[in-house]
Amino acid sequence: MDFALSDEQKMIQQMARDFAEKDVAPMASLLDQKAQFPSQHVAKMAELGLMGMMVPPEWGGSGLDTVSYVLALEEISAACASTGVTMSVNNSLYCAPVQKFGTEAQKERFLKAYALGQKLGCYGLSEPGTGSDAAHQQTTAKKDGDSYILNGRKNFITNGPHADAALLFAMTDKEKGNKGISAFLVEKETPGYSIGKIEKKLGICASSTSEIVLEDCRIPKGHLLGEEGQGFKVAMWTLDGGRIGIATQAVGIARASLEAAIRYSKEREAFGQAICHFQTIQNYLAEMATRVDAARLLTYQAAWNKDNNLSYSKEAAMAKNFASEAAVWCADRCVQIFGGYGYVKEYPAERYYRDAKITEIYEGTSEIQKMVIARSLLRDC
Ligand code: CAA
């Protein structure tokens, strides 16, 4: 594997870093405290070509590779994890599957504006009674002439309240288990589609999360994505890519925690010297830096495999599992190094701590990632 970044990749990283430092970071605390969706950042990310990074230019995207996406997303997430996940969901969980499985007509309607960042997409797999066990969907899609009629309730949908369209999964044939699941593209204006409960969350408070309710929601047959019965595979393929995005978000949070801890430990004095001179603090910083680098390398590996047409399901799960746990650990140490100041909202440490936790949960819990990794080992080794 070649870890050297191309000039183009370095340029994208720098461009995202400039934007993140100048525009995103200064607003992060305020948006978090007001639980305010970062609409202004989404508009700017659209201008910078960050909302459909891996989509070819003919469909409105930037035509870049996954490594470039990871480089940019780390910068945004280090500044504001809420903005990071908003970008990640549109890129990985919405645009990527529409690009891969969509027909020309579907791409015209459901991809172009989304990859350009003029519209926002979301992904609805989880249901109130079905999280990790995604094959046991309760949402149904009944064929009726040239339409499908969708009924059910999806929950924990990132971008849900702001999304113009959703990629949703529903049972077209319950008898067939996971092979009875199909994928659908549904626009927010469709009668029978509505936003249910909007979640109040521990962290990533500036991102939006809600239920999507489907009540006799009639959509044309042409909005089926992929083949009927192929939906579970569409969902799993999509999550493999999504997990690279969440691993990256976690790397961003872990790095931000480390950088804040270094800065603070050099400024803060105790017992007559800056606390960075104490061995305990140095041990924390050394361990944090090692976990950030290890998490980043696993994430680059998964992205690089994807770009080079190698299998990346196991690698994405490893990256997501390791990076999310690294983020939680680093944020925890960051709070500890800040002491009492780590616990108050005047400093960013407590936000990193709250934001890190979700990376161990969404797009597959740590326990699910281990299941994916172990199944792959037992199958291939
Ligand atoms: N790519 C393509 N196909 C895949 C696949 C993959 N990565 N993984 C599995 N499949 C296929 C299998 O090959 C199998 O096909 P066959 O039947 O033809 O052999 C089929 O799918 C069923 O596979 P499994 O038997 O492995 O399925 P399972 O029911 O045991 O579930 C699981 C596997 C890994 C646990 C899966 O259910 C899973 O990933 N669960 C977690 C779901 C998840 O991450 N939810 C988060 C939703 S998104 C979110 O968080 C909200 C947000 O907005 C951010």
Side-chain angles (χ1 to χ4, degrees), residues 142-143 147-150 172 184 217-219 224 228:
K142 276 211 176 91
K143 216 181 213 159
S147 315
Y148 285 97
I149 302 172
L150 273 57
T172 36
F184 299 94
C217 177
R218 183 183 286 272
I219 54 165
L224 170 76
E228 201 176 281

Side-chain angles (χ1 to χ4, degrees), residues 132 156 158 179 233 236 239-240 243 362-364 375:
S132 293
F156 300 141
T158 308
K179 290 192 172 53
K233 289 190 179 174
M236 293 297 111
L239 283 171
D240 284 340
R243 287 166 186 163
Y362 58 16
E363 299 197 33
R375 283 185 182 181

Side-chain angles (χ1 to χ4, degrees), residues 154-318:
K154 297 288 175 181
N155 73 342
F156 300 141
I157 311 303
T158 308
N159 292 352
H162 293 85
D164 297 283
L167 166 57
L168 297 173
F169 300 88
M171 279 283 181
T172 36
D173 188 346
K174 273 200 167 174
E175 304 299 308
K176 292 188 179 158
N178 75 58
K179 290 192 172 53
I181 296 174
S182 303
F184 299 94
L185 293 163
V186 188
E187 284 159 324
K188 70 169 185 204
E189 300 81 12
T190 315
Y193 176 105
S194 63
I195 299 302
K197 186 165 71 135
I198 296 181
E199 302 293 350
K200 294 189 177 122
K201 309 186 294 282
L202 170 73
I204 54 161
C205 296
S207 70
S208 59
T209 311
S210 70
E211 289 183 322
I212 290 178
V213 183
L214 302 159
E215 289 165 313
D216 290 331
C217 177
R218 183 183 286 272
I219 54 165
K221 201 165 75 181
H223 293 188
L224 170 76
L225 184 71
E227 313 262 310
E228 201 176 281
Q230 204 196 359
F232 192 70
K233 289 190 179 174
V234 173
M236 293 297 111
W237 179 88
T238 302
L239 283 171
D240 284 340
R243 287 166 186 163
I244 298 176
I246 300 306
T248 307
Q249 184 200 22
V251 171
I253 299 168
R255 181 189 110 193
S257 303
L258 170 65
E259 289 173 351
I262 293 172
R263 272 195 308 274
Y264 185 78
S265 71
K266 285 165 130 179
E267 286 162 12
R268 171 74 180 179
E269 292 196 358
F271 305 102
Q273 56 183 331
I275 62 170
C276 66
H277 296 300
F278 295 118
Q279 196 171 30
T280 303
I281 301 293
Q282 291 183 3
N283 284 347
Y284 289 159
L285 296 177
E287 183 70 21
M288 287 164 87
T290 307
R291 291 185 195 213
V292 170
D293 273 17
R296 188 184 285 119
L297 289 172
L298 279 171
T299 307
Y300 282 2
Q301 174 180 277
W304 190 87
N305 275 18
K306 182 165 179 275
D307 287 336
N308 288 280
N309 296 318
L310 299 168
S311 61
Y312 60 93
S313 180
K314 179 185 75 189
E315 289 72 13
M318 284 177 165

Side-chain angles (χ1 to χ4, degrees), residues 61-134:
S62 302
L64 295 165
D65 58 10
T66 316
V67 170
S68 301
Y69 166 59
V70 161
L71 292 168
L73 183 57
E74 179 186 324
E75 298 306 322
I76 307 297
S77 301
C80 171
S82 295
T83 305
V85 74
T86 306
M87 169 183 163
S88 176
V89 165
N90 196 67
N91 274 275
S92 318
L93 292 192
Y94 181 83
C95 288
V98 180
Q99 156 66 25
K100 180 164 171 76
F101 298 101
T103 61
E104 299 278 299
Q106 287 174 336
K107 288 181 195 172
E108 198 57 58
R109 182 164 182 162
F110 288 100
L111 183 58
K112 228 175 195 172
Y114 297 82
L116 282 165
Q118 296 162 345
K119 289 186 172 180
L120 194 67
C122 68
Y123 173 93
L125 179 67
S126 302
E127 297 180 359
T130 317
S132 293
D133 186 7

